[in-house]
Each structure stands twice: as structure tokens, then as C-alpha cells.
């Protein structure tokens, strides 16, 4: 098996070239009779190369509207929680981006006079792409003051977050987008040296007709993006900033999304934006069940969405335009309380990261860092289970992506190179992350020739007796909680021999001795190949 055998010593694995990978799946049954599971990893090529910013995050503009209620930028605990995810892009956007007015000298605007819902009820209303309640567009505008913007940008700079800001598309003058207010924000930011490496314009325009009873046609949006690019060109700090659009919602469920994306690209969108941006949610918060989070068919729906996006892009652009998911989570409608904020949410989140990487998505923006039941941290600034999963992903996963097959349909596996910095793994190390959707343990066997080698395990299981609905998560049997303002220690468990992963669990396995050729090239050059 040669040198590549070293990375799969505990799986009874086969290392095959790309043209043999599919054929090998038919032979899995011949290697599974001893009760141990095998996997096949194709290390002959990389499917994609993810960046350090691949896992990114979002905060809804509605949080600004509420003047960052409960979010204290000065807290050391919050700063440490945020910095542990760095490097990331932070997207400030969402529905209320199209109602945000910037006033350097303004105060926080009052809430609409007719609005009586509590904050948590509001959060469950406005992120689905198609609202369930009437929306009064005339009573939705609000002001972001210079002081609020300063607090946001200083915090981002301190914790290592790169800003992607979604500008208000609902400013119009003589049939064109009016960039006057955007220009005011740019001038204010430029004078203060604020870095804004990425911009968006509007949010989910395919849903405007349904939500607000008016439309902004896709060809008009292309024209508006060109105008934004022209405005940015007058600022040396932002002339090279990237643009992302059109932010259409689930392409598999909404014909309006597919039609809008096609129209946008036909009208010149292929060259008007840096990358195509889309949104994705698996299901509604109102109907979600525990079983949904373990449903492989529902998990596979992401791949359907991404295939539609790439097929439309290739057809209309005649080249492969990069795609990023600028807003995505488990359940639209603010997340399913007791599920999207619990241990079970990790199955959708980790699988989304794995599938998106295999489908060559450039970035995945988690909705949200703060706010709603799908947030990484709760309203008391305590981490939810997906936060610790995200931190581990950031510490372990980067670079070349490899194809993986398993003999078990409900064992989902992904493989990457290892990010070196935090745990000081060597250049050639490989990380495999898994989701065991089965209701029984799965055992991996040890290769007889390399029985002395070891693997680092990061095994994640429910944090208490609530099981899949637990609001806590254990790493290698130890519950993860903040230690005052500091993150807990998250060390691996060194292991030799057979590895058993429990039912309904997920985690990471690092093979330090893999000596992966692609990984060594990646880390030594950091130049895509």
C-alpha cells in the first residue's frame, strides 16, 4: 500500500486512485464481515481547497436595530469566544439590511410603534426568506449611528473578524439605486481606517414580491451592483473589496430563486459580482423534529441545492463561477428552540461543512453567531454545542479536500488536511471527521502493519442526560463549559488500536503520521495547485 497506507491504519482501508474509487464500493461487503468498518479515501487528487475563512459567521442586521441587546462588546469573555473562531468573515446582513439607514450623528431609532412582540418572538419571524406575517415596509426603517458602527468595527478588528457588509438596496432615485447613504458610510469608515473587504447589496431579492409586494428585477440588480462597484472605486481602501450576490434562497424549493439567479447571470451578473451567493436552510423551525437532524435524505438536500447552483452558473456564465453560502443554518424561522441550539444540531452543521467543501463552496456563513435559537452563543453569551464544534473545526480543518466512501450509508465521512497552528501537527497530517447517524456504535479496525501508530481522537457526545437534546457537549467524555472568561481546554485523546464511536455521535480523528503529499505542498507553499 506504500506510504499512503500510514494515514488509514485503523480502518482496514484501501487507498485507491480516482478511477477506482466508485468501483471499490461494490467490494465493501467483503471487508465488513468481521464487524469492523472500512473506508476508502482517494488521495490521488484534491476535490477542492478550503481557506482559513471557509467557516464564517453572520449576525443579522436586526441585532443592530435592537442596539445589540445583551451583547457587551467590552466583555473579555465575549472577546475570547469571538477570537477563538478567527479567522472568519462576519456578515452583517439579512432582511433588515434593506431598512438600515446610516447617520454618523444619529441616535438609535425607536422601534416601530405598532410592534409589540418580544425580541425572541421577532427573531422567529424574519429570516426564512418568506415571512409568515404581514410586514409593514413603511414602519421598518431604522438608524445605525456612527457610535454603533464604531463599536462593531473596533470589536471585529480586536477579535480578528473580517467584515462583509450588506448595504440597503431600498434606496431609489429616478429608477436607480441611490448610493448616497452607502457613500456616507464609506466616507465615515474610510476616515477611521475601517477595513471592509467585502460588500453585498440587498437580501433575498427573489422574495421581495412575496414579502413586500414589489420587485427589483434581476437585470436591475446587476446594474445596481455595477454602480456600487463604481462608488467603491473612489475609495482606495475599498476599490479592491469583493462583491457578492444575489443572495437567493433555497434553490431546490423556490422556482423564484432559480429564475432570479438565471436572470441575474444572463444580465451580466457573472462579471458584476466576485462570487455567487446563495442561502440554504434544511427545514422550518415550526415543524422540525429530532429525527430531521439525523435524516440522511434531508442532509443530502444541500447537495441538490449546490448542484442546481453550479449547473445554473456554468450554463449562464460558460465558466465555473465560485459560490458561497452567505446565510445558512439548520431551520429557518430563527431556528428550532431546543433543537437548533442543542447537541443534535451538530449533525446538520458538521455535515453541511463537509458537503459544502466537497462541492467546492468557497465559504459557509453560519446564521448566526448571536441571536435566535440557531445561534452559536445564547443570549447570556454562553456557547451552545455548535460553538465548540465550530472551534474544533477551525482548529483542525483546512486546505485540500479528499473524497471518502464508507461501507455504511449512515456513516458520513469527510477528509481534509489538518490546520497546523493550534495543535502543532506536521505538514502531512490528515483529519477525518465523521457523523454516525446509526443508533448503535461503529468500530474501526487497526491495520496489522501499523499497529504501533496512534491517532488523535476528538469524539463529541451529548453533554448530559438530555441526550440529543442536551444543551451541552462532551469532548472525549468531558463536558465543555467556559472557565470564567476563558475557553476550556480541548485536548485530543491519543489512541492505538480499534476505535469505537458511539451511536448518534460525531467528531474528528487526526492521523499525524499520514505524510500526505498534497497537505505538505499546501502548507509549504499556500499556493493553490
Amino acid at each position: 500500500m506504500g506510504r499512503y497506507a500510514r494515514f488509514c491504519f485503523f480502518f482496514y482501508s484501501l487507498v485507491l486512485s480516482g478511477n477506482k474509487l466508485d468501483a471499490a464500493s461494490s467490494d465493501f461487503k467483503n471487508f465488513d464481515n468481521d464487524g469492523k468498518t472500512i473506508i476508502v479515501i482517494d488521495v490521488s487528487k484534491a476535490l477542492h481547497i478550503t481557506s482559513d475563512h471557509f467557516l464564517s459567521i453572520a449576525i443579522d442586521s436586526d441585532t443592530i436595530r435592537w442596539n445589540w441587546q445583551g451583547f457587551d462588546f467590552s466583555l473579555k469573555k465575549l472577546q475570547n469566544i469571538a477570537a477563538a473562531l478567527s479567522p472568519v468573515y462576519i456578515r452583517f446582513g439579512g432582511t433588515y439590511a434593506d431598512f438600515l439607514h446610516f447617520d454618523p450623528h444619529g441616535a438609535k431609532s425607536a422601534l416601530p410603534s405598532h410592534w409589540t412582540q418580544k425580541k425572541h418572538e421577532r427573531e422567529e419571524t424574519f429570516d426564512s426568506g418568506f415571512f409568515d406575517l404581514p410586514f409593514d415596509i413603511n414602519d421598518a426603517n431604522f438608524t445605525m449611528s456612527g457610535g454603533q458602527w464604531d463599536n462593531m468595527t473596533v470589536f471585529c478588528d480586536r477579535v480578528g473578524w473580517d467584515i462583509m457588509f450588506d448595504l440597503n438596496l431600498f434606496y431609489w432615485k429616478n429608477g436607480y439605486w441611490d448610493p448616497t447613504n452607502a457613500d456616507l458610510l464609506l466616507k465615515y469608515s474610510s476616515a477611521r481606517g475601517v477595513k471592509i473587504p467585502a460588500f453585498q447589496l440587498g437580501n433575498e431579492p427573489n422574495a421581495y414580491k412575496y414579502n413586500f409586494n414589489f420587485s427589483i428585477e434581476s437585470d436591475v440588480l446587476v446594474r445596481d451592483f455595477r454602480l456600487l462597484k463604481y462608488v467603491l472605486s473612489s475609495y482606495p481602501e475599498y476599490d479592491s473589496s469583493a462583491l457578492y450576490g444575489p443572495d437567493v434562497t433555497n434553490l431546490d424549493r423556490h422556482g423564484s430563486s432559480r429564475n432570479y439567479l438565471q436572470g441575474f447571470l444572463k444580465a451580466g451578473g457573472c462579471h458584476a459580482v466576485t462570487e455567487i451567493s446563495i442561502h440554504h436552510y434544511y427545514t422550518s423551525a415550526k415543524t422540525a423534529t429530532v429525527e430531521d437532524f439525523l435524516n440522511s435524505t434531508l442532509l443530502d438536500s444541500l447537495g441538490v441545492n449546490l448542484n442546481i447552483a453550479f449547473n445554473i452558473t456554468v450554463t449562464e456564465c460558460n465558466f465555473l463561477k465560485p459560490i458561497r453560502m452567505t446565510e445558512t443554518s439548520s431551520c429557518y424561522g430563527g431556528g428550532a428552540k431546543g433543537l437548533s441550539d442543542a447537541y443534535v444540531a451538530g449533525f446538520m452543521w458538521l455535515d453541511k461543512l463537509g458537503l459544502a467543501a466537497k462541492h467546492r463552496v468557497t465559504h459557509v456563513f453560519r446564521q448566526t453567531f448571536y441571536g435566535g435559537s440557531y445561534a452559536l452563543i445564547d443570549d447570556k453569551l454562553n456557547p451552545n454545542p455548535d460553538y465548540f464544534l465550530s472551534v474544533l473545526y477551525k482548529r483542525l480543518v483546512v486546505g485540500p479536500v479528499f473524497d471518502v466512501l464508507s461501507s455504511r450509508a449512515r456513516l458520513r465521512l469527510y477528509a481534509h488536511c489538518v490546520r497546523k497552528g493550534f495543535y502543532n501537527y506536521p505538514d502531512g497530517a490528515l483529519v477525518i471527521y465523521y457523523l454516525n447517524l446509526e443508533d448503535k456504535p461503529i468500530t474501526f479496525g487497526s491495520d496489522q502493519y501499523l499497529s504501533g501508530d496512534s491517532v488523535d481522537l476528538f469524539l463529541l457526545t451529548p453533554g448530559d442526560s438530555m441526550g440529543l437534546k442536551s444543551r451541552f457537549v462532551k469532548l472525549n467524555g468531558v463536558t465543555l463549559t467556559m472557565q470564567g472568561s476563558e475557553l476550556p481546554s480541548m485536548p485530543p485523546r491519543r489512541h492505538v488500536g480499534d476505535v469505537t464511536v458511539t451511536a448518534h455521535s460525531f467528531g474528528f480523528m487526526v492521523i499525524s503520521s499520514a505524510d500526505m503529499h498534497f497537505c505538505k505542498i499546501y502548507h509549504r507553499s499556500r499556493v493553490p495547485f
Side-chain angles (χ1 to χ4, degrees):
M1 293 171 64
R3 63 178 179 177
Y4 292 134
R6 302 190 65 194
F7 78 86
C8 56
F9 64 92
F10 63 97
F11 294 114
Y12 281 127
S13 299
L14 300 176
V15 179
L16 302 174
S17 63
N19 61 357
K20 295 181 181 178
L21 188 60
D22 292 336
S25 61
S26 63
D27 292 332
F28 278 146
K29 60 181 181 296
N30 297 327
F31 294 90
D32 228 11
N33 294 332
D34 61 355
K36 299 186 179 72
T37 298
I38 66 114
I39 66 171
V40 177
I41 303 178
D42 182 0
V43 297
S44 69
K45 62 179 183 290
L47 300 175
H48 179 53
I49 301 173
T50 59
S51 73
D52 292 336
H53 287 65
F54 175 72
L55 189 165
S56 287
I57 54 177
I59 292 180
D60 201 281
S61 299
D62 197 31
T63 306
I64 304 171
R65 180 184 180 86
W66 285 86
N67 199 29
W68 294 93
Q69 181 177 327
F71 197 96
D72 187 345
F73 292 101
S74 66
L75 283 180
K76 186 63 176 177
K77 172 184 175 181
L78 179 59
Q79 293 173 16
N80 288 341
I81 287 172
L85 295 172
S86 178
V88 296
Y89 282 109
I90 173 66
R91 179 203 187 221
F92 293 111
T95 299
Y96 273 96
D98 282 324
F99 300 94
L100 184 153
H101 173 80
F102 176 70
D103 182 352
H105 310 293
K108 184 181 82 69
S109 59
L111 297 175
S113 58
H114 75 282
W115 198 266
T116 59
Q117 283 182 295
K118 296 179 181 179
K119 180 172 183 288
H120 75 275
E121 293 171 335
R122 269 181 65 82
E123 287 170 342
E124 295 171 358
T125 305
F126 292 108
D127 71 338
S128 66
F130 294 93
F131 300 149
D132 297 320
L133 298 175
F135 187 92
D136 186 352
I137 191 171
N138 297 313
D139 207 10
N141 295 319
F142 69 104
T143 297
M144 179 178 70
S145 68
Q148 287 176 309
W149 181 238
D150 290 340
N151 286 338
M152 294 161 56
T153 57
V154 169
F155 179 82
C156 290
D157 186 61
R158 180 177 294 133
V159 301
W161 289 1
D162 295 317
I163 296 172
M164 183 172 75
F165 193 77
D166 192 359
L167 293 164
N168 188 339
L169 182 59
F170 289 177
Y171 280 104
W172 286 87
K173 186 176 182 180
N174 300 324
Y176 289 84
W177 173 65
D178 183 357
T180 304
N181 195 251
D183 193 55
L184 187 63
L185 175 66
L186 294 171
K187 185 178 299 183
Y188 182 91
S189 302
S190 175
R192 285 159 175 74
V194 176
K195 299 175 182 178
I196 313 176
F199 290 91
Q200 294 187 285
L201 186 56
N203 179 77
E204 299 180 353
N206 61 288
Y208 287 163
K209 180 65 176 177
Y210 184 92
N211 294 330
F212 311 127
N213 199 32
F214 71 87
S215 299
I216 296 176
E217 300 302 326
S218 54
D219 60 332
V220 175
L221 182 59
V222 171
R223 181 191 64 186
D224 294 337
F225 266 105
R226 289 171 176 160
L227 178 56
L228 172 57
K229 183 63 177 177
Y230 175 78
V231 172
L232 293 175
S233 69
S234 62
Y235 293 91
E237 299 90 341
Y238 310 123
D239 180 38
S240 60
S241 294
L243 299 180
Y244 302 101
D247 265 26
V248 293
T249 56
N250 281 56
L251 291 162
D252 62 331
R253 292 203 301 265
H254 303 312
S256 64
S257 296
R258 297 190 293 274
N259 293 336
Y260 201 96
L261 180 56
Q262 287 175 321
F264 181 81
L265 298 178
K266 281 182 181 291
C270 301
H271 301 287
V273 295
T274 309
E275 294 179 7
I276 303 301
S277 60
I278 63 174
H279 295 178
H280 174 267
Y281 293 89
Y282 292 101
T283 189
S284 168
K286 293 182 177 181
T287 61
T289 65
V290 169
E291 291 74 23
D292 287 338
F293 287 78
L294 302 170
N295 186 326
S296 57
T297 301
L298 192 58
L299 295 179
D300 286 338
S301 69
L302 172 62
V304 175
N305 273 269
L306 296 177
N307 285 334
I308 292 172
F310 277 109
N311 288 338
I312 292 175
T313 300
V314 170
T315 299
E316 302 300 339
C317 297
N318 295 318
F319 60 90
L320 190 61
K321 187 77 173 178
I323 291 175
R324 62 173 51 192
M325 283 192 286
T326 49
E327 182 183 313
T328 189
S329 194
S330 53
C331 307
Y332 61 81
K337 190 172 182 61
L339 295 175
S340 296
D341 52 3
Y343 171 83
V344 73
F347 290 94
M348 283 184 172
W349 181 223
L350 187 58
D351 194 68
K352 176 164 286 186
L353 292 169
L355 268 183
K358 287 183 68 173
H359 280 78
R360 300 165 305 209
V361 172
T362 62
H363 299 82
V364 178
F365 286 73
R366 169 61 181 255
Q367 180 83 354
T368 63
F369 175 72
Y370 178 77
S373 295
Y374 46 26
L376 294 180
I377 62 175
D378 65 21
D379 57 5
K380 299 293 192 298
L381 307 183
N382 294 312
N384 287 324
D386 273 5
Y387 170 78
F388 290 115
L389 174 58
S390 299
V391 170
L392 278 175
Y393 188 97
K394 295 293 286 191
R395 291 177 178 179
L396 293 172
V397 180
V398 77
V401 183
F402 304 102
D403 202 7
V404 189
L405 288 179
S406 161
S407 59
R408 292 175 182 259
R410 291 177 59 79
L411 174 66
R412 299 170 79 93
L413 294 146
Y414 303 95
H416 288 242
C417 297
V418 176
R419 185 176 176 184
K420 293 173 54 179
F422 192 85
Y423 293 102
N424 296 314
Y425 287 116
D427 287 347
L430 183 79
V431 58
I432 298 167
Y433 49 106
Y434 74 92
L435 297 87
N436 180 12
L437 302 178
E438 295 192 6
D439 58 3
K440 58 185 177 182
I442 294 178
T443 298
F444 300 96
S446 175
D447 188 297
Q448 61 183 5
Y449 300 110
L450 298 165
S451 57
D453 285 5
S454 62
V455 57
D456 279 0
L457 303 179
F458 299 83
L459 307 182
L460 296 166
T461 53
D464 58 24
S465 60
M466 291 295 291
L468 292 173
K469 291 186 176 182
S470 175
R471 293 294 303 276
F472 300 94
V473 60
K474 289 181 179 179
L475 172 63
N476 296 326
V478 178
T479 302
L480 298 176
T481 57
M482 293 294 292
Q483 308 299 304
S485 62
E486 302 297 321
L487 268 69
S489 175
M490 300 170 70
R493 173 162 63 88
R494 191 63 55 84
H495 182 83
V496 177
D498 292 351
V499 176
T500 298
V501 296
T502 60
H504 296 160
S505 69
F506 45 83
F508 304 83
M509 305 178 184
V510 177
I511 301 93
S512 299
S513 58
D515 199 30
M516 288 289 295
H517 178 64
F518 283 135
C519 299
K520 292 165 73 172
I521 294 175
Y522 173 79
H523 285 301
R524 292 173 184 177
S525 68
R526 298 307 298 267
V527 176
F529 45 85

